[in-house]
Amino acid sequence: EALVVTLPEAPRKLDTNRLPVQVDASNIAYLKDAIWADKPARLMQQLLMEVIAAPNDRLVLNEADAGGRATDILSGSLLEFGLDAQSNEAIVVFDAVRIRAGKPIEKKRFEAKKPVTADLPGPAGEALNDAANQVAADIAAWVHAG
């Protein structure tokens, strides 16, 4: 049975290919010269598909490829995917929801924080990449355990 990974929902601050920096509780800036290849939700969806499929050659599809016939769905919300200036950390937070035919809906929050050595695109991107990979690995373990 194929697992369908849907495009995660994301707050407005992540609806861009720029890297958000949470300056304080109510202010967001974007890191100068830091541009993603795509929006964070799409990047996270692709990462999840790759990481879940890798260990056991499981068939993992996006919603378009599944053609509306999915019985095992992983969806969720990408709540954080950026830098926290106060803690100097890259933070990824993902609320995952798993829906399977004939089983109760499952929901779990995954979070990773990694230190950022400098407010520059290279170090910030590396720390965020590490945090995203940790979250994806944790979600994959949760999916495989279920």
Side-chain angles (χ1 to χ4, degrees):
E1 187 68 30
L3 173 70
V4 174
V5 177
T6 65
L7 182 65
E9 293 186 24
R12 187 171 168 173
K13 72 179 180 181
L14 297 180
D15 193 24
T16 178
N17 63 348
R18 297 167 64 200
L19 198 160
V21 178
Q22 191 74 42
V23 178
D24 56 36
S26 59
N27 292 304
I28 297 170
Y30 290 93
L31 190 62
K32 185 179 184 207
D33 298 327
I35 305 290
W36 298 118
D38 206 339
K39 293 179 180 179
R42 176 87 46 210
L43 295 173
M44 194 69 193
Q45 178 191 30
Q46 292 168 352
L47 178 61
L48 285 169
M49 291 174 67
E50 290 171 15
V51 172
I52 292 169
N56 62 0
D57 294 327
R58 178 157 191 192
L59 181 59
V60 180
L61 304 171
N62 63 34
E63 57 268 55
D65 292 338
R69 295 182 307 225
T71 59
D72 191 357
I73 300 169
L74 177 68
S75 65
S77 299
L78 182 62
L79 302 175
E80 295 290 342
F81 193 88
L83 304 181
D84 184 323
Q86 294 178 334
S87 66
N88 214 27
E89 293 176 315
I91 300 174
V92 175
V93 178
F94 191 93
D95 279 352
V97 178
R98 185 143 184 224
I99 303 167
R100 294 182 281 178
K103 296 197 177 185
I105 295 173
E106 300 171 77
K107 184 175 181 181
K108 187 170 180 181
R109 176 168 284 185
F110 297 88
E111 182 174 341
K113 297 178 181 182
K114 298 294 180 179
V116 178
T117 57
D119 288 341
L120 298 169
E126 288 175 25
L128 199 48
N129 185 53
D130 289 347
N133 280 312
Q134 180 183 332
V135 166
D138 292 347
I139 292 171
W142 177 62
V143 166
H144 292 306

